[in-house]
Every structure is written in structure tokens, then in C-alpha cells.
């Protein structure tokens, strides 16, 4: 089976199947009127603070691909407590930070193509410097948690990618990550 696909939007064959989709901001950021975002929010590619009391980190929710070369990755945002975000920021460039304990959070990205994913329970695992945290869902019967636990096939990856690429609304929030840059590595 080829890794490429025919795009239903442009009708062209693309040689590479996207294996990464990510949101640029947590869901609560999008609920703030655009005119107020600069005053109320601090947003980088990895951290977000809203009204100096809500804290979010961007991480990678990896789905094993049983018959593929690597995991399918959702770039998602999770909430963290003030204490945990402060500790994570203090250690952001520190070697050995991956030995930190897990941080509890709530998933703050609404992923399309699944029943609602907002506020699923997560654990955030810090990884070595240069890698975004790993987001692990609580093992429940939610389809996303089942896929993270059991894995998916390349056929499912193709279904996800084609559905996301066909949806203007999904592509407004979710961007493909260049195949030249691993989603887990900082650009």
C-alpha cells in the first residue's frame, strides 16, 4: 500500500500521507474575542496563559500505527496547574527534565472525527529537551483513548487525513506538520 493519497479537495495525488495534525492554540483561546486576545493571552508555539490564571502546554498525543513507519500524532493542548506549568517552564531547557513526575491535565483540544474530546483526563510526560511533552489519555472507553491504547492501521490514518484535509473548518484549526520536521521536535 502506498503512503500517498488522492486529495479529494484538489484532486491531485500527494506522495506523502500526513502523519501529524496540530492545533495552534487550546480551545479556550478561541473562545476569547479576537480583539481581546492580545491583552488577555500569552501564546507561544508551546505554552499558553489566559487571564494569568489558566495555563496550557502543547504536547503530542501519539497513536501507534500497527502497520506504519511511526505513530500518527495529534498536536494537542492540555491544561496544567499553576505549580506544574511553573515547574515545566523552569526546566524547559534543562537536561534530565524527562525524569520529572507526570503532570495531570485536562485535554483542551476538541479533535474532529471523534466524540467530544474536550476535558478528557490526561497525564503529561515531559521528554528530553527539544521534544514536546507526551500526552497520555486516561484509559477509558472513549474511541481516542482506545486508539491510543490499541493502535490504528494506515487505512485509518488515510481516513483521518482525508477527512481533515477535506474540511475547511478542521483545516482552520488543525494544520499538517511538514514531513521534514518531526512533530515532536521543536521547529
Amino acid at each position: 500500500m502506498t503512503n500517498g493519497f488522492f486529495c479529494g479537495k484538489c484532486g491531485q495525488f500527494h506522495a506523502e500521507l500526513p502523519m501529524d495534525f496540530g492545533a495552534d492554540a487550546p480551545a479556550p483561546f478561541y473562545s476569547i474575542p479576537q480583539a481581546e486576545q492580545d491583552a488577555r493571552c500569552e501564546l507561544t508555539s508551546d505554552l499558553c496563559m489566559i487571564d494569568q490564571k489558566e495555563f496550557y502546554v502543547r504536547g503530542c498525543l501519539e497513536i501507534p500505527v500497527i502497520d506504519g513507519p511511526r505513530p500518527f500524532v495529534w498536536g494537542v493542548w492540555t491544561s496544567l496547574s499553576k505549580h506544574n506549568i511553573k515547574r515545566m517552564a523552569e526546566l524547559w531547557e534543562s537536561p534530565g527534565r524527562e525524569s520529572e513526575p507526570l503532570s495531570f491535565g485536562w485535554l483542551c483540544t476538541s479533535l474532529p472525527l471523534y466524540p467530544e474530546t474536550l476535558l478528557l483526563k490526561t497525564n503529561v510526560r515531559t521528554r528530553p529537551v527539544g521534544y514536546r511533552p507526551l500526552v497520555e489519555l486516561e484509559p477509558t472507553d472513549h474511541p481516542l483513548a482506545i486508539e491510543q491504547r490499541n493502535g490504528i492501521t494506515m487505512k485509518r490514518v488515510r481516513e483521518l487525513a482525508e477527512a481533515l484535509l477535506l474540511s475547511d473548518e478542521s483545516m482552520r484549526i488543525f494544520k499538517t506538520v511538514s514531513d521534514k520536521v518531526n512533530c515532536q521536535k521543536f521547529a
Side-chain angles (χ1 to χ4, degrees), residues 85-96:
I85 200 85
K86 183 178 177 187
R87 179 74 178 154
M88 186 175 282
E90 287 171 358
L91 298 174
W92 200 255
E93 296 294 329
S94 299

Side-chain angles (χ1 to χ4, degrees), residues 127-159:
R127 297 195 281 187
V129 173
Y131 290 87
R132 287 196 169 111
L134 185 64
V135 176
E136 301 168 343
L137 294 175
E138 177 184 52
T140 65
D141 62 353
H142 190 283
L144 181 61
I146 292 170
E147 286 185 351
Q148 188 177 45
R149 206 168 42 246
N150 298 338
I152 60 175
T153 64
M154 285 300 292
K155 179 181 178 188
R156 174 70 172 145
V157 170
R158 183 171 279 105
E159 290 169 2

Side-chain angles (χ1 to χ4, degrees), residues 74-91:
W74 287 107
V76 298
W77 293 81
T78 65
S79 65
L80 289 180
S81 69
K82 185 175 185 175
H83 169 78
N84 286 341
I85 200 85
K86 183 178 177 187
R87 179 74 178 154
M88 186 175 282
E90 287 171 358
L91 298 174

